[in-house]
Amino acid sequence: MNRPPRPLRTLRVKSSTYPRPRRVSNTGTSRSPVVSTPSTASINNCLQPSSEKRTTESPLAVLPLSTVLRSLLILSISSSPILLKPCIRALSALAHPKTPVLDVAKNPALNWIIKNTIYKQFNAGENKVEVQRSIQEMKSLGYRGVLLGYAREVLAGENGGNLVDEKAAREEVDTWLQGTLQTVDMAQEGDFVALKFTGMGNQALSLLRQKLPPSEYMDEAIRSVCDSAIARGARLLVDAEEQAVQPGIEEWIMTYQKYINLKTPGRATLYGTYQAYLRSTPATIARHLEIARQEGYTLGVKLVRGAYLKTEPRHLIWAEKEETDRCYDGIVEALLARRYNDVLKPASDEHTVKLPPVNVIIATHNQDSVRKAHSIRLQQAARSEPRVELAYAQLQGMADEVSCELLQGFQSAEAGTTVATTESPNVYKLLTWGSVKECMGFLFRRAVENTEAVGRTKQSQLAMAQELQRRARKALGF
């Protein structure tokens, strides 16, 4: 007789303490166990640890010394409210230069400084050679792959989005298509390529604002990207953007998920991005799951907390950080278990228990959320249960203590010891490529996000400081 499935045990993780008042996008986490007992390895092995030592040393031991030093410098600035504000003003001036001196495309000295500091921390490179070198470096550390995106974008608030010149509109689409196809060409089999529909220019912005379908020329360009991704063995994910355009983006996503995901039965090739800080997100995912069920393809879900807190209407966002956390973790639990719950409720009266096929990317820097998800997977693996296709992702240059600990293998939250398991996490890093000029908007947005997550950034800074201290003690023989 078939027995009903046993319910998943709830992972108990010590919660972080936050001062009030709280901001929704803060993602502070419990301290990562990044410091381990030093061994007697040589100085060279200390600075450039070999893969054989990954399971016995600090998770951050896999990083080159140069990366640790650069990360410590940048994270120290990002975690300081005093230093971060002038840094944001400087990045704003560089992203929107009013004089040639501040234009990184016209000032070679400034370009060199930016490229070898903050650009190198968060971006993959300016051309195919640099980007593929960055991808190989990531994979040599143990990452399964990368989420690679082209930096060019047009933000909804920067212009009217009412371009009527058809020739100019086509030129903008051609520029987007060329950059996107280049990105697909740089990706390797199994990698993801990130798309920004607003990167197609002002006419795309206007259409998205009005929730209108893409023009015929845009449609041909998007389908060309989809076909190229399938031929390359890569996957696509569409970034979430501001709510001024996001509803339109979601309609485009569902159109192209049907087009491309039906061509790859049993797996998602195109993913949409969902922001957990929006009150509407559980209902949106439930609706999209039901559409995918009816149309017969696997839905691709990339779940993030959200990146546009400063520009979104406040009534659309959860009032407290804890509500965002509950939404995020509840959605993850439902997707991994493929069962609706009190957060992700069914959109259909006919299907109220089991979710349709879904592939998931958990894109977060919050260690508690990653631990909870990993615990669910461990329990499923221990019971030999079928599992959804899952990837974890963090931005290049951020939350390395979370990424590297996943690579090494999280400790069991219940037993407190490392456990052997058949669950090998698929860990990815999100890399953005483009010229230094093209990436300034991306870098500016990263800095603005850090103003809402100083606690989390401070945790990363402390992790890097402890790792540097560990290496120094080891090099000195202590």
Side-chain angles (χ1 to χ4, degrees), residues 170-181:
R170 288 194 172 211
E171 288 176 353
E172 289 191 311
V173 173
D174 288 341
T175 300
W176 175 86
L177 178 60
Q178 180 182 10
T180 304
L181 291 177

Side-chain angles (χ1 to χ4, degrees), residues 372-406:
K372 290 175 182 177
H374 191 56
S375 177
I376 292 173
R377 298 286 283 192
L378 290 178
Q379 293 173 37
Q380 291 175 326
R383 294 195 292 265
S384 299
E385 294 178 357
R387 285 158 281 164
V388 304
E389 185 171 324
L390 171 66
Y392 302 88
Q394 290 82 40
L395 285 164
Q396 176 183 351
M398 298 179 72
D400 284 329
E401 73 280 6
V402 176
S403 303
C404 291
E405 195 173 352
L406 256 178

Side-chain angles (χ1 to χ4, degrees), residues 3 9 16 24 44 126 131 139 183 191 234 277 281 292 307 322 335 387 393 433 440 475:
R3 297 181 178 179
R9 291 178 293 170
S16 303
V24 172
N44 287 339
E126 296 191 79
V131 170
K139 292 188 176 182
T183 309
D191 288 340
Y277 71 179
T281 291
E322 289 83 358
L335 294 176
R387 285 158 281 164
W433 79 277
M440 289 312 304

Side-chain angles (χ1 to χ4, degrees), residues 61-82:
V62 300
L63 299 179
L65 179 61
S66 59
T67 299
V68 175
L69 291 171
R70 186 178 62 248
S71 296
L72 180 58
L73 172 62
I74 293 174
L75 290 168
S76 296
I77 295 173
S78 300
S79 62
S80 169
I82 296 176

Side-chain angles (χ1 to χ4, degrees), residues 105-152:
K106 299 178 180 179
N107 185 332
L110 182 62
N111 186 291
W112 186 91
I113 293 171
I114 296 298
K115 182 169 183 178
N116 286 279
T117 52
I118 188 171
Y119 176 93
K120 192 171 184 178
Q121 179 74 4
F122 298 112
N123 299 104
E126 296 191 79
N127 53 56
K128 185 174 183 177
V129 172
E130 293 179 359
V131 170
Q132 293 198 323
R133 183 189 305 127
S134 295
I135 293 174
Q136 287 307 121
E137 288 173 355
M138 286 295 172
K139 292 188 176 182
S140 70
L141 295 177
Y143 290 101
R144 187 61 53 90
V146 300
L147 282 64
L148 184 63
Y150 179 38
R152 185 177 187 272

Side-chain angles (χ1 to χ4, degrees), residues 129-243:
V129 172
E130 293 179 359
V131 170
Q132 293 198 323
R133 183 189 305 127
S134 295
I135 293 174
Q136 287 307 121
E137 288 173 355
M138 286 295 172
K139 292 188 176 182
S140 70
L141 295 177
Y143 290 101
R144 187 61 53 90
V146 300
L147 282 64
L148 184 63
Y150 179 38
R152 185 177 187 272
E153 64 181 39
V154 180
L155 296 179
E158 290 185 347
N159 51 60
N162 293 314
L163 188 70
V164 295
D165 186 332
E166 187 63 30
K167 180 180 178 181
R170 288 194 172 211
E171 288 176 353
E172 289 191 311
V173 173
D174 288 341
T175 300
W176 175 86
L177 178 60
Q178 180 182 10
T180 304
L181 291 177
Q182 280 183 279
T183 309
V184 173
D185 182 59
M186 293 176 188
Q188 300 174 6
E189 185 174 357
D191 288 340
F192 292 85
V193 172
L195 306 180
K196 270 191 176 293
F197 285 147
T198 55
M200 283 188 280
N202 292 321
Q203 189 180 69
L205 273 174
S206 180
L207 294 171
L208 289 167
R209 278 201 184 99
Q210 300 174 68
K211 296 177 65 174
L212 295 174
S215 68
E216 183 178 345
Y217 197 71
M218 292 176 191
D219 177 70
E220 291 176 0
I222 296 170
R223 290 177 189 268
S224 174
V225 171
C226 291
D227 294 340
S228 295
I230 290 179
R232 186 72 174 174
R235 289 168 287 181
L236 304 172
L237 59 90
V238 181
D239 287 338
E241 303 194 43
E242 298 160 283
Q243 284 303 292

